[in-house]
Amino acid sequence: MGIVQRHIFTSVVAGAVALSGSASPASWNDKVLSGEASPHGLTLVAGAHGVQYELRGGAKVELSEGAEFSFEPSLHLKLRKPGDPDTTTRVIHLLHGNAEVTVPTLRDPTAVMVRGPGKLSAVSKDGHMTFMADDVRSTAAAREGDLLIGLGNDWRWLRAGFARTLAPEDPSALPRPVLPSPSVSTESKLTLVRGSESAHASASWPALPNAARYDVVLTRTGKDAAVVSHQIVTETKVGMDSLTPGTYGMVVAAVDKEGLVGSPSAPCSLRVVGVETPEGASVSQDGAIILGKDQRVSLVGADGVEISYGASSLFMGAPSQLGLAHGEPTTVRFRAAGTTAETVLRLAPRGLHAAVDIGPRTAKWPLDRVTIQVDLYDTTGRPIPDESAIDANVTVNLNKIPVKWEHSGHTLRATLSPGTPPGPWVVRAEVRDRNGDLLGRDFLEVAPAEHPTVAVAAR
């Protein structure tokens, strides 16, 4: 280790002296993968979305928004077994901001060194490291693979999963573990929303020792993948609103007091399925969707969702539409594929009926007053709507006539004026719902008073 330390120390000092009066841009063999960086004097400054490079040799470097940095001449360091060739090492001087460095494992690798504004430097020959720098502190973390950390003239290996921070309160930059990934759970893996509604979801996780806060990223997955929200919270729970139908993944990472983000959680998946109701359908007070005989609801964002009916244990892929099973009340159970938690949707037929009665049954005009009575009832036990939810039509000899209905509880009543002679007359009453479905009907033949025939009623 002493030979390696002395060689690295000599090389780093030589490199620093060589660059004492200049800063060089990225090599022409380096490629910008995303974002941009602009020259500011002797340094480069990453743009609003940061910048990501693929360096000559295969390493990838991602620098945060506003990061100040420069590329320095490459070094040749003894990072492998004695007798092996020196390792070409790309050098980045990070003055401010964050750098994520990934070095692929190759037979003839090119390592990456990041130097902070003070005494701290880090070299990665394979794996993933994080380097953070500001005016008073520098942090190097070994995410994957070991790092070689230089603190002034002292070079030591840092095992994967550990970090060191050089700060006024910690001049020796003692190693500490990178915070582990939280175990995240949600109240429900699948939520149903109707029409233009949006969903609310919440997630929680156990508190991690030494965590100062938590970084929460919610991403919409699939072909329209995009970050939906990015929150920094101090509590161990988070709420998410305005979720439209689709698939989401949430990742939580703890952040320590130095601002180093720990290992991210496994993505926690959330599903939101939209239920679009047909025109004329309604929702009861108990949440059931009320459908006509041939009506169906449409499902949005149901790819990868399974359904079952009633108490059945058999699940199948969700179709694009759902209707009543045999015209009867139907319970549909939803679950995300690979999970056991269920969400229930209830469909119900229109249970509203109308008992229509026209009388008296032996009515004669103009002697008798003919009364029409409509009694509304619901076989499903849901509340009875008022008369505005129905359409009651009355005709005399097929001519529609206006009537004035009196509403009392679940009953409608109307009295007809005698028809125009000579008669006889046929009085009909039909009650339909707002979708045109027949709820009930009745008719009555009314004889003229001077005619001996008695009115005969039929239903």
Side-chain angles (χ1 to χ4, degrees):
M1 182 63 186
I3 295 175
V4 174
Q5 289 176 345
R6 286 196 298 273
H7 187 88
I8 292 176
F9 170 65
T10 303
S11 300
V12 171
V13 171
V17 171
L19 290 178
S20 60
S22 64
S24 61
S27 164
W28 65 271
N29 283 327
D30 297 332
K31 180 169 61 176
V32 175
L33 298 179
S34 63
E36 60 182 0
S38 304
H40 285 255
L42 300 178
T43 62
L44 297 169
V45 177
H49 301 288
V51 63
Q52 184 179 26
Y53 292 95
E54 182 175 336
L55 304 183
R56 184 181 71 253
K60 292 182 179 178
V61 178
E62 183 176 355
L63 295 131
S64 61
E65 174 186 352
E68 300 174 26
F69 62 100
S70 62
F71 290 90
E72 299 183 347
S74 298
L75 302 175
H76 298 279
L77 307 179
K78 293 188 179 298
L79 300 178
R80 293 183 281 177
K81 294 182 297 184
D84 286 346
D86 293 351
T87 300
T88 300
T89 304
R90 302 298 306 278
V91 181
I92 300 170
H93 189 192
L94 181 63
L95 299 174
H96 182 83
N98 299 348
E100 298 291 336
V101 179
T102 303
V103 180
T105 301
L106 302 173
R107 183 175 181 180
D108 186 19
T110 297
V112 175
M113 172 188 286
V114 180
R115 296 176 50 234
K119 297 179 180 180
L120 190 70
S121 300
V123 179
S124 174
K125 59 183 178 62
D126 57 62
H128 176 199
M129 77 162 161
T130 297
F131 201 102
M132 304 162 53
D134 60 25
D135 295 337
V136 296
R137 65 190 64 227
S138 298
T139 296
R143 303 283 188 184
E144 299 175 16
D146 297 344
L147 291 183
L148 192 57
I149 300 293
L151 186 60
N153 297 336
D154 183 20
W155 288 87
R156 299 178 185 273
W157 287 101
L158 181 69
R159 289 190 294 120
F162 284 80
R164 295 179 68 177
T165 295
L166 177 63
E169 66 274 15
D170 188 8
S172 58
L174 295 175
R176 69 181 188 282
V178 174
L179 292 178
S181 57
S183 177
V184 184
S185 60
T186 60
E187 289 182 348
S188 175
K189 293 287 187 181
L190 189 148
T191 302
L192 300 180
V193 295
R194 298 188 183 93
S196 60
E197 295 176 355
S198 58
H200 168 84
S202 61
S204 60
W205 53 91
L208 292 180
N210 301 318
R213 53 191 182 276
Y214 299 90
D215 185 284
V216 183
V217 177
L218 181 67
T219 303
R220 189 182 185 96
T221 60
K223 63 179 181 180
D224 299 324
V227 174
V228 175
S229 68
H230 186 185
Q231 304 180 58
I232 303 294
V233 299
T234 56
E235 298 183 338
T236 57
K237 59 183 179 180
V238 68
M240 296 154 285
D241 295 312
S242 304
L243 302 182
T244 56
T247 306
Y248 299 84
M250 188 180 65
V251 174
V252 179
V255 183
D256 66 18
K257 65 178 182 178
E258 303 294 348
L260 180 65
V261 178
S263 299
S265 68
C268 184
S269 63
L270 304 168
R271 298 296 303 265
V272 178
V273 175
V275 180
E276 294 185 347
T277 57
E279 183 177 357
S282 60
V283 179
S284 69
Q285 291 183 358
D286 59 4
I289 297 178
I290 312 303
L291 299 175
K293 181 176 64 174
D294 297 320
Q295 288 186 316
R296 304 177 71 81
V297 298
S298 298
L299 302 180
V300 181
D303 294 340
V305 173
E306 299 174 338
I307 65 166
S308 184
Y309 293 92
S312 172
S313 60
L314 176 64
F315 279 82
M316 65 193 76
S320 59
Q321 292 185 325
L322 292 172
L324 298 169
H326 309 295
E328 299 295 325
T330 304
T331 298
V332 187
R333 293 155 40 222
F334 290 75
R335 72 182 185 188
T339 67
T340 57
E342 298 178 4
T343 300
V344 173
L345 173 69
R346 288 182 296 109
L347 308 176
R350 291 195 183 100
L352 189 63
H353 293 273
V356 183
D357 182 76
I358 305 175
R361 309 310 295 174
T362 58
K364 295 181 180 181
W365 274 343
L367 298 179
D368 299 315
R369 294 162 58 91
V370 172
T371 301
I372 303 172
Q373 179 170 311
V374 177
D375 290 309
L376 299 173
Y377 63 98
D378 193 321
T379 58
T380 65
R382 290 185 297 272
I384 303 293
D386 60 25
E387 71 273 19
S388 64
I390 64 171
D391 187 9
N393 290 316
V394 177
T395 62
V396 175
N397 292 345
L398 301 181
N399 296 315
K400 185 176 180 179
I401 61 172
V403 296
K404 183 179 180 180
W405 295 100
E406 296 179 356
H407 184 212
S408 176
H410 300 158
T411 300
L412 302 176
R413 291 187 182 87
T415 300
L416 300 184
S417 300
T420 303
W425 303 268
V426 178
V427 179
R428 289 183 173 85
E430 285 190 350
V431 179
R432 297 178 181 271
D433 65 17
R434 284 301 179 89
N435 300 289
D437 289 345
L438 182 66
L439 303 180
R441 63 166 52 141
D442 191 18
F443 74 92
L444 174 70
E445 288 188 9
V446 181
E450 67 274 15
H451 198 284
T453 303
V454 177
V456 179
R459 291 179 183 262

